[in-house]
Amino acid sequence: MATFLVSSASGEQRLVSSKKSLLRIGRLPESEIYLDEPVVSRRHADIYKSDTSYYVKDMGSRNGTLVNGERISQPTEISPGDTIGIGNSQIVYEPSDGISFLKEQGTAEPTSSVSLSAPTPSGGQMMAPLVLLEAVADIATQMVQDKPLESLLDSILSLCLDKTHAERAAIMLHDEEGKLMPRAYLSRAKIHGQFAISRSIARQAMDSNQAILIKDVAGDDNLKMSESIANLHIRSAICTPLWNGEKTVGVLYVDTTAPEHQFGDIDLLFYSTLSGMIAEKIQNALLADIAVDKRRLDAELEIATQIQHRLFPAKIPSVEGYDLSAFNRSCTEVGGDYFDVIAVDSRIAIAIADVSGKGIGAAMLMSNLQAMLQIRAGEFADPSELTECMNVDLSTRMGAGQFITMFYLALNPEEGRIRYCNAGHNPPYLLRKNGDIVTLEVSGMPLGILPDLKYETSEIEIATGDVLLLYSDGITECMDGDDDMFGDDRLKEVLKQSADGDAHSIRGANFSAVDTFRQDEPYSDDMTLIILKRS
């Protein structure tokens, strides 16, 4: 999360903290960093993230953008502590004197408090002044507007300072680790420097789910002993949890340095009422951001799915005297199974592979394997030489724990001879016409584990009426409701029962058997079947 301290010519300060990779600066109300100055253009400049660094880019403004006092004409990288000058305002990236927590010795006892689950002050019924009712209405109006969360929080804090005696206000939200981090801060105090809030007060407010009022810090023995509090001259403060009815998402904190402007119970009622509205809006905004990210990811995933589908052969080559059928079913939008059928001179190359893992990562490795096989299949007549070459290449590209199993064969159609190499893949089954089944065993480890592995080429004849079945482990490891696996024995039995049909019907019979076996259980892995029958 990036943090920017925005200081105007009037001395007003506010903090903008955001996870976004792009923050717009200008007079447009929807800008993440809104600057209401005539000399500022509507879309004055952008701050954007590239890799791990942030850059400032002037968007063709009339009066230019400065970084550390120098006008920029090209995107300029900024470092923590750098100052961006726009109009009469200054924006400090990752300020060293941002919001911090005090390390006081004790926990302050609040002058009074309000429970957010039943926000009625202990002193009885209390009528809020008209100005506070108007403030609630104004803030409610702000909340229905479609604007970035950062701009909305700035507007809310500005109204808080306009309608009450508060000089400084901050909204702090939980990060992924549950720590309180500043998300917005506004200061109109005459003093400058570090803005500190009591960690114990914030924790007490969240733990008790109560809005806490300290009317007079000078009169509180715990707080007045804090050197930081004394240096900041804080006289009165309110801290209220941001509770949306289900959980606490952060805190709203306000304070003042003016001795004559102490907060009272009416202020406490106002902020306790306001905190619920803010919490609900924050929750809705975060959900909206999640929805936007999900739509973006869904769109990217749809594109990835379409690209992966195109990696599989659009049309299976026809081979005279043979019947060939293949199909892949992914358990997610993109998968790690792969098959290919490639015509190479007088040979037909057939490959089936399974990349470890699932999802985008496995799909990317699968696309790498596909590109490599398409290039190498014509270079090597011997399957083991091809496998060894691919293993060396993949070993340099794959991370720890990643591997690929692959079965590769080269068919000589005229002779009915198959030369094959099996790199850790499920051994295919060759069903003879007389009903015997030959298993094409594994001859080496999976690809990508060690670069100097050696593989063996084996050879076998496929006679008229024989059926060769290649499959991925998603078939045999498919589970039913009792956690039983489909297994190799069922696969062999279905192969025998369906062997009289053509390749397409044999493939369909196997998928139907798997679907019947799993009943309503979800697919747990990708499934791929290749059927080669000599007709």
Side-chain angles (χ1 to χ4, degrees):
M1 178 182 293
T3 302
F4 301 89
L5 182 63
V6 183
S7 302
S8 64
S10 65
E12 178 180 286
Q13 292 182 315
R14 71 181 188 273
L15 195 73
V16 176
S17 297
S18 179
K19 298 179 182 179
K20 294 182 177 180
S21 57
L22 173 65
L23 286 84
R24 298 161 294 180
I25 309 173
R27 284 191 296 110
L28 287 173
E30 61 268 23
S31 300
E32 282 75 17
I33 300 179
Y34 172 64
L35 300 178
D36 188 14
E37 295 185 35
V39 295
V40 176
S41 300
R42 290 167 59 83
R43 180 79 178 270
H44 196 104
D46 284 347
I47 298 174
Y48 65 92
K49 185 178 182 181
S50 179
D51 295 328
T52 58
S53 301
Y54 279 87
Y55 294 80
V56 178
K57 179 182 180 181
D58 186 86
M59 301 302 291
S61 63
R62 296 189 308 273
N63 297 305
T65 302
L66 308 179
V67 174
N68 296 329
E70 296 186 4
R71 185 162 180 163
I72 63 172
S73 57
Q74 299 293 330
T76 302
E77 183 177 357
I78 53 176
S79 302
D82 284 351
T83 300
I84 304 166
I86 294 180
N88 297 312
S89 299
Q90 290 189 332
I91 304 169
V92 180
Y93 171 48
E94 298 291 357
S96 58
D97 58 348
I99 295 179
S100 68
F101 286 101
L102 299 176
K103 298 180 179 179
E104 64 269 60
Q105 297 296 320
T107 301
E109 291 297 328
T111 305
S112 59
S113 62
V114 170
S115 171
L116 295 196
S117 57
T120 303
S122 57
Q125 295 294 328
M126 194 175 296
M127 184 64 69
L130 181 60
V131 65
L132 295 185
L133 295 177
E134 292 175 345
V136 171
D138 290 343
I139 291 173
T141 301
Q142 291 284 341
M143 288 185 178
V144 299
Q145 296 182 17
D146 184 17
K147 60 169 57 177
L149 183 60
E150 290 79 11
S151 299
L152 175 64
L153 296 183
D154 283 345
S155 300
I156 292 172
L157 295 186
S158 180
L159 283 168
C160 289
L161 268 59
D162 287 341
K163 303 300 183 180
T164 69
H165 297 310
E167 292 178 300
R168 300 191 299 186
I171 290 176
M172 309 189 77
L173 304 180
H174 290 299
D175 64 8
E176 291 85 351
E177 298 177 354
K179 297 179 181 178
L180 278 179
M181 299 296 292
R183 194 64 183 265
Y185 161 58
L186 186 62
S187 173
R188 292 175 184 166
K190 295 180 182 179
I191 61 169
H192 298 286
Q194 190 177 51
F195 175 46
I197 103 170
S198 165
R199 185 186 298 275
S200 60
I201 290 178
R203 179 55 56 192
Q204 183 178 343
M206 289 188 294
D207 290 345
S208 63
N209 199 29
Q210 290 186 330
I212 292 176
L213 164 64
I214 307 295
K215 282 187 178 179
D216 188 359
V217 172
D220 187 285
D221 291 336
N222 284 324
L223 287 181
K224 71 181 181 181
M225 289 189 300
S226 169
E227 182 179 350
S228 298
I229 286 286
N231 291 339
L232 291 171
H233 306 286
I234 297 172
R235 293 304 301 266
S236 189
I238 290 177
C239 184
T240 177
L242 298 176
W243 186 61
N244 60 18
E246 296 181 357
K247 65 178 181 179
T248 301
V249 297
V251 295
L252 168 64
Y253 174 88
V254 295
D255 67 23
T256 180
T257 62
E260 69 278 11
H261 288 157
Q262 295 180 8
F263 295 121
D265 288 336
I266 292 179
D267 298 300
L268 182 64
L269 174 62
F270 166 71
Y271 282 110
S272 63
T273 303
L274 179 61
S275 65
M277 299 168 58
I278 297 174
E280 185 175 357
K281 181 62 179 181
I282 289 172
Q283 185 71 8
N284 291 339
L286 294 177
L287 291 175
D289 289 343
I290 292 173
V292 170
D293 289 341
K294 185 179 184 304
R295 286 195 295 271
R296 176 180 58 81
L297 291 174
D298 287 346
E300 293 177 358
L301 194 57
E302 176 61 26
I303 293 173
T305 302
Q306 295 174 6
I307 292 173
Q308 187 179 46
H309 285 169
R310 296 189 189 105
L311 296 180
F312 293 105
K315 184 179 180 181
I316 302 295
S318 59
V319 185
E320 186 176 355
Y322 295 83
D323 192 12
L324 184 60
S325 180
F327 185 73
N328 165 263
R329 177 193 287 168
S330 296
C331 67
T332 57
E333 285 81 357
V334 291
D337 274 12
Y338 167 66
F339 77 87
D340 214 337
V341 182
I342 307 169
V344 183
D345 300 327
S346 60
R347 297 176 290 118
I348 295 295
I350 300 176
I352 183 171
D354 186 358
V355 180
S356 60
K358 300 181 183 68
I360 295 292
M364 293 178 67
L365 286 175
M366 187 270 267
S367 64
N368 194 355
L369 176 72
Q370 186 262 358
M372 196 180 303
L373 187 64
Q374 289 279 338
I375 295 172
R376 301 294 188 191
E379 297 180 4
F380 296 94
D382 187 275
S384 62
E385 292 180 2
L386 168 68
T387 304
E388 289 171 5
C389 177
M390 294 180 63
N391 177 63
V392 171
D393 198 328
L394 288 168
S395 297
T396 64
R397 302 173 186 270
M398 300 176 67
Q402 293 180 315
F403 59 88
I404 300 174
T405 67
M406 183 182 75
F407 181 91
Y408 176 84
L409 69 83
L411 168 67
N412 186 321
E414 292 185 3
E415 299 178 359
R417 304 294 296 178
I418 293 175
R419 305 182 73 213
Y420 66 90
C421 182
N422 191 343
H425 195 77
N426 300 83
Y429 297 123
L430 178 61
L431 175 65
R432 298 297 190 185
K433 189 175 182 180
N434 63 7
D436 294 338
I437 290 183
V438 180
T439 302
L440 279 57
E441 296 291 352
V442 175
S443 60
M445 293 177 62
L447 306 175
I449 298 178
L450 296 171
D452 55 352
L453 294 176
K454 296 298 181 182
Y455 296 88
E456 297 179 3
T457 295
S458 300
E459 189 169 326
I460 196 169
E461 178 184 353
I462 180 169
T464 301
D466 290 352
V467 180
L468 178 65
L469 181 148
L470 292 74
Y471 65 98
S472 64
D473 59 10
I475 298 288
T476 53
E477 295 180 4
C478 179
M479 310 286 284
D480 66 4
D482 297 324
D483 290 337
D484 291 330
M485 290 197 302
F486 186 75
D488 295 270
D489 291 340
R490 287 188 178 90
L491 182 62
K492 294 177 185 178
E493 186 61 30
V494 176
L495 175 60
K496 289 181 177 181
Q497 293 175 359
S498 59
D500 291 338
D502 61 13
H504 182 78
S505 65
I506 296 172
R507 190 198 79 194
N510 278 271
F511 272 112
S512 295
V514 170
D515 288 339
T516 301
F517 173 79
R518 71 177 181 84
Q519 298 175 352
D520 294 328
E521 293 300 308
Y523 298 111
S524 58
D525 200 356
D526 305 327
M527 298 182 185
T528 304
L529 270 178
I530 302 176
I531 304 295
L532 174 66
K533 182 174 182 178
R534 186 168 186 182
S535 56

